Amino acid sequence: MKDSWERDASHPTQYHSVECTRGREFILRLTTVADVYAAIQQFAKDKGIMFGKIHAAFMGGFSPAKMFFWTPDPHDPENWHNESCASFDNLSMLISMSGMIHTRLEGGEPVPFPAIHYVIGGAWDVPTVGGHLVEGTKVKGVVEVFITEILGIEAILPSDYDPEKDAAPEEWYREKK
C-alpha cells in the first residue's frame, strides 16, 4: 500500500506539508558558455546544499536552450509523464526561471539534483516557450540566479521504490530528526 503522500487526493483541499527553515542564501553568476544545469549542480555539491530553492533568476540569454516538454506517448496513452527534448539554437532571452535542488540517488548515495523550470523567448525565431531545463543549456551573456538553502528536512522514497528499476523516483520530505 502506498503512503498517503503518494496517493491521489481524496478531496480537492487535501495537501501534504513539512516545515523547513531557510539556510544560507546565494547569488550565482553564470557567464557565456556555462552550462546552467551542470554549474548549479556543481555549486550545490561544492556548498553541500542537498535541498534548496532556485528563484528570481534575472538577466541573460541562452544559445542553445534545451528543455523537456510533456508530450503524448505514442506507445502508451496512459503515460502522462512522457517527456521529449526540444533544442532552440538561436539566441533566446530568459524570461523566468525557478525550481529546486533536491536529491537523486547515484550509486545508492544522494546527490544534489537541480529541477528547474524556465521560460525563454523574445529573440530571433524563438517562440515564448517553457519546460524543464535540460543539461546542455548554455549561457550567452550573463544569467544571475538566487539560491536559498533549505534546512531541516530529509527525503523519503516511495513505498514501492526499487533501486533496480527506478533511477529517478519521486520523493517527498519529512522533518529531519
Side-chain angles (χ1 to χ4, degrees), residues 49-156:
I49 298 173
M50 298 306 271
F51 300 98
K53 177 180 171 185
I54 300 167
H55 54 106
F58 63 97
M59 300 176 18
F62 304 107
S63 184
K66 296 183 177 203
M67 64 182 64
F68 280 132
F69 293 115
W70 279 350
T71 55
D73 184 340
H75 306 290
D76 181 4
E78 297 298 314
N79 179 12
W80 61 270
H81 197 261
N82 188 61
E83 291 183 301
S84 299
C85 187
S87 182
F88 301 89
D89 294 324
N90 289 343
L91 178 65
S92 60
M93 181 177 71
L94 174 63
I95 297 170
S96 176
M97 184 167 80
S98 65
M100 65 182 290
I101 296 167
H102 61 101
T103 57
R104 284 269 168 96
L105 296 177
E106 286 184 10
E109 294 296 317
V111 297
F113 173 81
I116 302 168
H117 294 161
Y118 76 133
V119 178
I120 60 166
W124 299 287
D125 297 324
V126 177
T128 300
V129 294
H132 294 114
L133 185 136
V134 175
E135 191 167 0
T137 297
K138 301 287 181 86
V139 173
K140 186 73 170 181
V142 174
V143 171
E144 293 184 3
V145 181
F146 287 89
I147 296 178
T148 301
E149 180 180 38
I150 302 297
L151 302 172
I153 60 172
E154 61 185 352
I156 52 177

Side-chain angles (χ1 to χ4, degrees), residues 18-19 51 151-156 173-177:
V18 62
E19 189 170 348
F51 300 98
L151 302 172
I153 60 172
E154 61 185 352
I156 52 177
Y173 313 98
R174 65 178 166 219
E175 291 179 26
K176 194 177 267 186
K177 298 172 184 175

Side-chain angles (χ1 to χ4, degrees), residues 15-67:
Y15 61 88
H16 308 279
S17 70
V18 62
E19 189 170 348
C20 54
T21 58
R22 286 183 179 190
R24 300 169 292 169
E25 296 193 280
F26 302 90
I27 300 173
L28 189 61
R29 181 178 173 91
L30 306 173
T31 55
T32 299
V33 182
D35 182 308
V36 179
Y37 175 90
I40 290 175
Q41 184 178 46
Q42 187 61 52
F43 167 80
K45 288 177 180 179
D46 291 347
K47 297 297 183 182
I49 298 173
M50 298 306 271
F51 300 98
K53 177 180 171 185
I54 300 167
H55 54 106
F58 63 97
M59 300 176 18
F62 304 107
S63 184
K66 296 183 177 203
M67 64 182 64

